[in-house]
Amino acid sequence: MPTATRSHSNTGVGGRPRRLAFPEQALATVLHLRVALAAEPLAVLFGSSRTAMHRPLLKTRRLLKAHGIVIPPATTPPVVLVALQARVLAQTSEPSNKIKATC
């Protein structure tokens, strides 16, 4: 049974981060396995939290293993990955992505 996707993203509005649809989970897992992106940068890219990203990564990796599908790591990172990593680092260092204190 497909999982419903929440319509809001984790943009500081409050509430739980959105759940990823299965295609997003699959893409995140491929990026994780192929180019070794960790859960936190993936969460930034997909507008979710690290925890909300970690769960689907585990689930999808188990599904791949159960079906005997192996996604080997890239031997050399693609040039595009360097730009992607820079973008993620820029987004994670922006003040709007930091936890805000309540006063």
Side-chain angles (χ1 to χ4, degrees):
M1 173 179 256
T3 304
T5 307
R6 295 177 190 247
S7 61
H8 70 281
S9 64
N10 191 19
T11 57
V13 176
R16 293 177 62 168
R18 70 182 186 92
R19 294 178 70 170
L20 300 175
F22 185 75
E24 292 174 321
Q25 293 177 26
L27 177 58
T29 303
V30 169
L31 288 171
H32 174 68
L33 295 173
R34 187 77 175 143
V35 294
L37 281 177
E40 188 169 358
L42 287 169
V44 171
L45 288 172
F46 287 93
S48 193
S49 72
R50 182 178 48 148
T51 303
M53 180 58 66
H54 186 69
R55 288 183 194 125
L57 289 176
L58 289 175
K59 178 179 121 183
T60 309
R61 285 178 15 206
R62 275 184 264 165
L63 283 171
L64 290 170
K65 184 178 180 179
H67 291 280
I69 299 171
V70 176
I71 299 175
T75 55
T76 57
V79 176
V80 177
L81 180 59
V82 175
L84 179 63
Q85 288 174 329
R87 180 177 169 203
V88 169
L89 287 173
Q91 287 183 359
T92 56
S93 63
E94 290 177 5
S96 63
N97 289 337
K98 301 293 181 188
I99 297 174
K100 297 175 185 170
T102 57
C103 298

